[in-house]
Amino acid sequence: MTGVPASAAGGSGAKPVRGGKLGTAAVNQASLWNIANILTMVRLLLVPGFVLLLFHNGGYDPVWRSFAWAAFAVAMITDLFDGHLARAYNLVTDFGKIADPIADKAIMGAALVSLSVLGDLPWWITGVILARELGITLMRFWVIRHAVIPASRGGKLKTLAQGTAAGMYVLVLNGPLATLRFWMMMVAVVLTVVTGLDYVRQAVVLRRRSLAAERAAVGRTAEALNEAAGSPGAGVADAGAGAGPAAGAPGASGAGASGSAVRVSGGSTPVEPTVGARDGAEAER
């Protein structure tokens, strides 16, 4: 749940080499059945298994809840490993781009909703976390045409806090450990809200910059077309060059050339604002 599809973290796919780094030779596209995608599919399959284990025998059996915690822990760990493998071996598929964020949110959403149904976790906590995750996902689609919002360090801490707190709530804890898990969940809620607001800020800034860059590019293209098709100096130069030989006099030819040179020089004066506009656009980026 880092906000960036783990299986999509790489490029077009590359052959693994010693040390887990990319080699110079790369294949055209990673196979669907690569290790990152397999771990993502395992995480998806663990979601219904986790729910069944949690609610088995009424949902309050310490042994079955321990089994549910194990399934939840494996799912969270695979989220870390498939992201690392995707980055190290450049494994990416369209399936991974879609399935990885779904798997991340499915396992956490299943844990929060199930715990609230059992009465162990207040519904307002579940609502805040799920609303944030859904809102950020929709916001990413809103700005994806302009830019990709990278996963921040706060977002990673948020994911770690959510996973730790939810895992502690899955277990049957009493005394100081029960108090500790409550405060851990509060930390997770605060990080959830703060990082969510930060992602909104990033999205607005990135979208504004992208739109400004697009407008500047359109302006430069229009100016270039106007210079190429409607430059006054170019037209006068062509007319002067054609009028010189028609006069039949050597001086006339020289005068036409001289006149055209003056007109071309005069017609080239708008170039300076164009260069200034380009510099301004680059600075705005």
Side-chain angles (χ1 to χ4, degrees), residues 4-244:
V4 175
S7 301
S12 59
K15 183 178 180 180
V17 294
R18 181 179 300 179
K21 300 299 180 182
L22 293 177
T24 56
V27 297
N28 292 330
Q29 184 175 0
S31 170
L32 173 64
W33 295 101
N34 61 65
I35 184 62
N37 282 349
I38 290 175
L39 290 176
T40 299
M41 287 184 277
V42 168
R43 192 159 67 257
L44 282 170
L45 293 175
L46 283 172
V47 174
F50 161 77
V51 174
L52 291 174
L53 291 171
L54 183 62
F55 282 94
H56 188 77
N57 200 18
Y60 298 100
D61 189 321
V63 176
W64 286 102
R65 290 187 68 146
S66 298
F67 293 153
W69 176 88
F72 180 81
V74 170
M76 298 303 294
I77 291 173
T78 58
D79 182 28
L80 299 176
F81 276 101
D82 66 359
H84 172 74
L85 292 172
R87 289 187 295 270
Y89 292 92
N90 203 27
L91 302 173
V92 58
T93 62
D94 292 336
F95 171 82
K97 295 177 183 179
I98 298 173
D100 185 78
I102 292 176
D104 294 342
K105 292 171 177 56
I107 186 62
M108 182 58 66
L112 295 174
V113 172
S114 298
L115 290 170
S116 294
V117 170
L118 291 172
D120 295 336
L121 187 67
W123 275 106
W124 71 266
I125 294 178
T126 299
V128 168
I129 294 177
L130 294 184
R132 185 270 191 194
E133 299 299 336
L134 178 61
I136 295 301
T137 300
L138 294 177
M139 186 189 64
R140 287 181 183 278
F141 283 110
W142 177 56
V143 301
I144 195 171
R145 184 176 70 88
H146 305 282
V148 175
I149 304 176
S152 64
R153 182 175 300 178
K156 295 177 181 178
L157 289 175
K158 178 268 304 180
T159 301
L160 178 61
Q162 285 183 358
T164 303
M168 294 178 72
Y169 268 89
V170 171
L171 293 171
V172 178
L173 301 178
N174 297 303
L177 290 178
T179 303
L180 176 62
R181 73 180 181 183
F182 169 79
W183 288 111
M184 179 61 69
M185 183 59 75
M186 291 300 100
V187 171
V189 170
V190 171
L191 289 174
T192 297
V193 174
V194 171
T195 56
L197 294 175
D198 182 61
Y199 277 129
V200 172
R201 180 192 62 80
Q202 291 185 57
V204 172
V205 171
L206 289 174
R207 189 172 185 273
R208 286 179 178 175
R209 289 179 179 176
S210 177
L211 291 175
E214 289 178 3
R215 287 193 295 267
V218 171
R220 291 197 300 269
T221 302
E223 291 178 359
L225 291 175
N226 290 335
E227 290 178 0
S231 176
V236 175
D238 292 341

